[in-house]
Amino acid sequence: MKFPYTEKVLEHFKNPRNVGKMENPDGKGLEGSPACGDMVAVYLQVNPDTQIIEDIKFESYGCASNIATASIITELAKGKTIDEAKKISWQEATEELGGLPPVKAHCSVLAVEGLRAAIRDYEEKHGLVTEQEPTTVDVIRSRLKHVMNPMAGLDIVRTELVTKMEINDGVVRILLDLPSNHQFAANIKEEVLEKIESLWDVKEVNVVFTE
């Protein structure tokens, strides 16, 4: 039986590039879920004058393909402008690795989405978003699906930790079915604020816990 991974995939799996968490990144993206088997976080440091990605890191939870594709995508993005990095495709990543088993193609898609999420986060934080659609409850819900519930390994929406979402005149109110003194309360609140505060028309975000 032929081994399903190329030598380049194995090389990036055994010796991944740009691994680790970046403190105070200019942009951060998180895609996937450990409960689904794969997750990747991407961190960016961008030169504000040239818009070039000067440093990039990733953290991965998953299989060899997940780690290898995240590694190769950070290599492809480093040194590019954010506009150039947006154009990196999962097909390009797969080709750079010499191919992936069809069943693992989603890993390259996940890594690309992580990169694009980090770029979008950077653009929102720096007022670079050109398409300024009004923030709705659906937009908030979509963002909160990227906030993990550490107790379940799934996001806080699917695990019904979020009981209510409201937006009124730029003020967002999110109710969580979690006591404020819970061990994960502070971390979840920080993640929620990070995902919602960067939206262009949001003035204030209130996270309310059950007492």
Side-chain angles (χ1 to χ4, degrees):
M1 180 179 174
K2 185 181 178 182
F3 198 67
Y5 292 122
T6 66
E7 287 296 324
K8 196 164 184 180
V9 170
L10 292 175
E11 163 60 19
H12 276 268
F13 169 58
K14 294 175 182 176
N15 302 290
R17 283 59 155 176
N18 308 306
V19 178
K21 185 174 183 179
M22 186 183 293
E23 296 299 326
N24 302 312
D26 296 325
K28 175 186 173 184
L30 177 67
E31 293 293 330
S33 162
C36 299
D38 293 294
M39 183 172 70
V40 62
V42 178
Y43 307 89
L44 302 177
Q45 189 176 76
V46 182
N47 184 304
D49 298 319
T50 62
Q51 299 298 297
I52 288 174
I53 297 173
E54 294 186 333
D55 197 12
I56 182 169
K57 301 282 187 188
F58 82 93
E59 293 179 299
S60 173
Y61 177 98
C63 63
S65 295
N66 181 276
I67 294 168
T69 52
S71 174
I72 197 73
I73 278 172
T74 59
E75 287 282 277
L76 290 170
K78 197 170 186 179
K80 285 184 169 65
T81 65
I82 56 174
D83 284 338
E84 291 169 339
K86 281 182 199 175
K87 298 174 184 175
I88 296 171
S89 66
W90 67 268
Q91 293 96 334
E92 184 180 351
T94 301
E95 287 170 7
E96 283 286 330
L97 290 170
L100 286 171
V103 72
K104 292 296 183 180
H106 70 280
C107 293
S108 54
V109 174
L110 191 68
V112 166
E113 289 303 313
L115 171 62
R116 289 176 179 170
I119 291 172
R120 185 170 59 248
D121 181 54
Y122 171 78
E123 289 179 328
E124 289 174 348
K125 287 176 177 175
H126 294 80
L128 301 175
V129 177
T130 54
E131 297 179 6
Q132 295 185 328
E133 296 181 4
T135 297
T136 63
V137 169
D138 285 341
V139 170
I140 294 168
R141 182 182 294 107
S142 176
R143 292 301 181 95
L144 294 182
K145 285 181 180 179
H146 295 274
V147 177
M148 300 305 296
N149 176 354
M151 298 170 286
L154 292 168
D155 65 79
I156 62 175
V157 174
R158 279 193 285 178
T159 54
E160 298 182 347
L161 211 59
V162 180
T163 58
K164 193 171 185 180
M165 294 171 280
E166 300 173 332
I167 180 165
N168 187 23
D169 292 330
V171 178
V172 175
R173 188 167 180 264
I174 298 166
L175 277 62
L176 299 179
D177 186 19
L178 194 72
S180 58
N181 61 352
H182 190 279
Q183 61 174 324
F184 294 125
N187 289 339
I188 291 174
K189 181 178 180 179
E190 182 181 351
E191 287 287 320
V192 168
L193 294 177
E194 186 176 275
K195 291 291 186 292
I196 307 300
E197 283 183 332
S198 59
L199 290 164
W200 71 277
D201 56 351
V202 170
K203 302 171 186 173
E204 183 180 339
V205 180
N206 297 315
V207 179
V208 181
F209 295 96
T210 55
E211 295 302 329

